[in-house]
Amino acid sequence: MVTAVNRADLSGIGMTSQRTRARLVQRLSEQGISNTAVLDVMRNTPRHLFLDEAMAHRAYEDVALPIGYQQTLSQPYIVARMTELLLAQGPRRRVLEIGTGSGYQTAVLAQLVDEVFSVERIKPLQLKARQRLRQLKLRNVQMNHADGAMGWPERGPFDGILAAAAPQRIPQELLQQLDIGGRLVIPVGTEEQQLQVVSRTREGFQTDIVESVYFVPLRPGTEK
Ligand code: SAH
């Protein structure tokens, strides 16, 4: 079982939403999320801080929400599911996240693994996410403004990689930067997308298809 090694002290921030979050977490467990460390972290992480004020009142609905630049904050169920899949074979030390977006998934990961390396191609989203993580005192996160399809070779290899945007095919760079024993959780496809888990062993790569999903596409290059 994974323990929350970097659990931040988030008490005091967003206390009013505590009960609403507890209801959300209850729904997630009814939907089959069973990793209690993941559920605990989501119960304690104020998702409303990752949205603009106009959207904040919808923060604890189990839906994806717009964060500008045609991007979305992933649905809580998906965040929980992907995190659970990433941790399914035991604790992770160095995790690469592709698509920082609002920084919510980053904040969840940062409380469950040793170090998070998060790549985002849209600069203003990265800057906002960085501020939010600072506000929550989550200090084990490094960020990079780059095309995540390249991974982050200077920081690899990783024992976990999680992508929040869907490529047509899994980039070779990500497979190369996955350590032996590492797990890659990634949506793959264009219109029809499948959530895939790739495990790397000494023998090679094993791919499992988990469920159908809908993510924004992984886009090439960066935006200022
Ligand atoms: N986990 C985020 C999801 C944001 S949506 C959240 O919950 O807020 C997916 C994000 O992936 C977007 O911010 C988008 O800009 C980013 N993205 C898309 N293609 C990318 C790429 N090639 N490299 C890095 N980030 C990318």
Side-chain angles (χ1 to χ4, degrees):
M1 181 45 65
V2 173
T3 50
V5 285
N6 289 302
R7 175 94 41 87
D9 180 15
L10 306 182
S11 54
I13 303 175
M15 284 303 282
T16 50
S17 52
Q18 197 98 57
R19 215 176 307 153
T20 340
R21 270 205 302 278
R23 271 202 298 274
L24 171 66
V25 165
Q26 175 64 32
R27 272 207 305 279
L28 294 177
S29 73
E30 284 162 13
Q31 287 174 289
I33 307 297
S34 61
N35 184 319
T36 50
V38 172
L39 291 170
D40 282 350
V41 163
M42 290 187 66
R43 189 179 293 110
N44 291 317
T45 305
R47 190 171 184 254
H48 63 278
L49 296 186
F50 294 84
L51 290 160
D52 292 332
E53 236 170 282
M55 275 296 149
H57 68 286
R58 301 193 57 195
Y60 301 106
E61 296 173 28
D62 190 18
V63 291
L65 292 167
I67 54 173
Y69 309 90
Q70 297 175 311
Q71 303 305 319
T72 56
L73 197 171
S74 308
Q75 183 193 1
Y77 169 77
I78 280 293
V79 172
R81 189 84 178 103
M82 290 179 83
T83 310
E84 183 172 82
L85 288 166
L86 190 79
L87 300 175
Q89 300 293 323
R92 301 290 115 178
R93 301 178 64 81
R94 299 170 64 81
V95 172
L96 173 68
E97 180 192 37
I98 295 152
T100 315
S102 68
Y104 176 72
Q105 169 85 70
T106 322
V108 169
L109 285 173
Q111 296 170 77
L112 291 160
V113 307
D114 289 355
E115 283 185 277
V116 182
F117 302 87
S118 190
V119 184
E120 171 57 57
R121 64 181 290 282
I122 301 176
K123 190 73 185 174
L125 286 177
Q126 185 196 32
L127 293 176
K128 270 201 223 179
R130 177 172 281 152
Q131 270 182 357
R132 290 163 177 149
L133 295 173
R134 198 170 290 157
Q135 187 185 1
L136 297 178
K137 301 193 168 53
L138 294 169
R139 301 183 216 275
N140 56 336
V141 178
Q142 292 182 41
M143 291 189 176
N144 194 16
H145 179 227
D147 178 354
M150 308 297 167
W152 192 347
E154 296 81 4
R155 295 286 186 277
F158 306 96
D159 59 359
I161 302 179
L162 187 153
Q168 255 174 299
R169 247 175 256 104
I170 299 179
Q172 276 304 317
E173 286 79 357
L174 299 186
L175 296 173
Q176 279 159 13
Q177 288 167 42
L178 196 62
D179 225 341
I180 308 282
R183 281 166 79 78
L184 163 65
V185 182
I186 188 167
V188 182
T190 39
E191 257 118 80
E192 295 271 318
Q193 295 175 7
Q194 308 287 349
L195 186 59
Q196 301 192 1
V197 178
V198 182
S199 318
R200 184 171 198 176
T201 63
R202 286 189 197 285
E203 285 73 50
F205 297 93
Q206 190 203 316
T207 304
D208 292 308
I209 293 175
V210 180
E211 59 190 274
S212 295
V213 286
Y214 183 75
F215 277 84
V216 297
L218 190 81
R219 290 222 153 84
T222 57
E223 288 178 35
K224 284 220 157 58

